[in-house]
Amino acid sequence: MKVSDHVWAIMGFPNVAIIVGTRAVMAVDTGLGPRNGATIAKVAARLAPPNAKLYLTTTHFHPEHAAGDAGFPASTILIRNKVQQDEMNQQGKQVLETFRGRSAQWKELLADVNLRTPDIEYLDAASVDLGGATVRLLWFGEAHTKGDELIFVEPDRTLISGDVVQNKTVPNIAAGGGTPLTWLNVLDKIAMLNAAHVLPDHSAPGDGSLVQQEIAFITDVRTRALALKKQGIPVDDAGKQISAEMKTKYTEWPNTNVANFVKSVYAE
Ligand SMILES: [Zn+2]
């Protein structure tokens, strides 16, 4: 589907973005394993002008986002931020094993994973001119993981938000990720981008209001969790109570189980 003038998406697990310029294209995320990576590369080639360069970046190091790079042509330019690459070096193999253990299909899809070292590694910001569209790659701090990358496409004002801004989806902090407070700090920086379109990786695309919705939800859960902690309520009871409260307040959300997120607030 088309998200904005220069941004296309393959909807799935996860949603994958393809940003198209006049001289180059960029894929955001690889899909789960090389076979999915090859499919994305094929779609990118179809959308690209002749002789276009192909860039690849990843929102974070988890396998459905980053373990398919071996399916891309060898000439693909892989670019990601340093914190994400450090996480990949430290936890990449272990999380791959966890994912392989989840089903026979995932085991097969993740059989020939060969994780590449990035061609370009940056600290907290990089900019890639694709011709008529500029991609800003940004690391704003720790949220879902330590190394979450935000991708902002200009002039479209399209944010490819990974797990950091989702649509009516309870936030999830992965093992070794940030805290609710660091996540909020990241969201404050994202809000300054003034996005017009948001493409999350595991939920439906929406407009820029998704950013404020994410801030409101995390703030609500965190404020209540801190209050219940102060009253000495055990964390499991607080999780149940706040999940029920959020269900009443966020009626359109399919699931408001925030037990894990409440644990993260208690642990801040
Ligand atoms: Zn993830």
Side-chain angles (χ1 to χ4, degrees):
M1 66 174 283
K2 196 164 188 181
V3 175
S4 62
D5 282 350
H6 300 91
V7 182
W8 297 78
I10 305 172
M11 307 306 288
F13 180 82
N15 302 331
V16 168
I18 297 169
I19 309 158
V20 182
T22 56
R23 291 191 303 270
V25 289
M26 185 184 289
V28 181
D29 284 350
T30 67
L32 189 78
R35 204 197 303 168
N36 281 308
T39 300
I40 294 160
K42 230 180 269 175
V43 175
R46 216 163 67 206
L47 291 168
N51 305 316
K53 266 190 199 170
L54 175 59
Y55 290 90
L56 170 65
T57 192
T58 57
T59 57
H60 57 294
F61 77 102
H62 290 158
E64 79 270 38
H65 305 276
D69 54 348
F72 284 73
S75 58
T76 306
I77 302 162
L78 177 63
I79 175 167
R80 66 163 65 98
N81 55 309
K82 180 180 187 309
V83 179
Q84 183 184 153
Q85 184 59 38
D86 290 348
E87 260 182 321
M88 176 72 94
N89 296 343
Q90 283 153 18
Q91 297 184 59
K93 291 221 169 80
Q94 181 197 324
V95 74
L96 263 173
E97 276 314 305
T98 306
F99 269 58
R100 283 178 182 130
R102 285 191 183 163
S103 77
Q105 187 201 30
W106 283 21
K107 191 176 178 179
E108 196 221 314
L109 285 170
L110 293 171
D112 301 311
V113 169
N114 182 16
L115 298 172
R116 278 176 51 192
T117 308
D119 301 288
I120 304 169
E121 199 179 286
Y122 67 92
L123 212 49
D124 51 16
S127 188
V128 183
D129 181 358
L130 303 180
T134 300
V135 185
R136 291 170 64 191
L137 303 173
L138 302 158
W139 179 70
F140 281 158
E142 302 178 4
H144 170 63
T145 64
K146 281 189 173 67
D148 297 300
E149 181 184 71
L150 288 313
I151 296 96
F152 191 65
V153 182
E154 290 171 326
D156 301 26
R157 288 164 57 209
T158 297
L159 173 73
I160 299 151
S161 59
D163 277 56
V164 180
V165 179
Q166 290 283 348
N167 195 347
K168 300 186 177 70
T169 300
V170 169
N172 167 43
I173 296 178
T179 69
L181 185 59
T182 64
W183 194 319
L184 282 174
N185 292 339
V186 169
L187 288 168
D188 282 343
K189 294 180 197 169
I190 292 174
M192 312 256 278
L193 295 171
N194 193 23
H197 316 273
V198 180
L199 176 69
D201 59 3
H202 293 301
S203 50
D207 63 22
S209 69
L210 292 190
V211 177
Q212 288 306 325
Q213 180 179 265
E214 191 73 53
I215 292 173
F217 187 83
I218 293 180
T219 303
D220 278 351
V221 174
R222 183 167 179 271
T223 304
R224 288 296 293 137
L226 289 175
L228 295 186
K229 187 183 178 188
K230 212 171 174 184
Q231 290 168 32
I233 309 289
V235 65
D236 289 338
D237 295 346
K240 280 182 198 139
Q241 187 179 328
I242 299 167
S243 296
E245 290 171 11
M246 293 304 129
K247 194 175 176 172
T248 324
K249 186 162 182 187
Y250 292 86
T251 50
E252 286 174 19
W253 292 39
N255 171 17
T256 59
N257 183 349
V258 290
N260 282 332
F261 203 79
V262 168
K263 277 185 195 152
S264 301
V265 177
Y266 268 56
E268 262 182 15

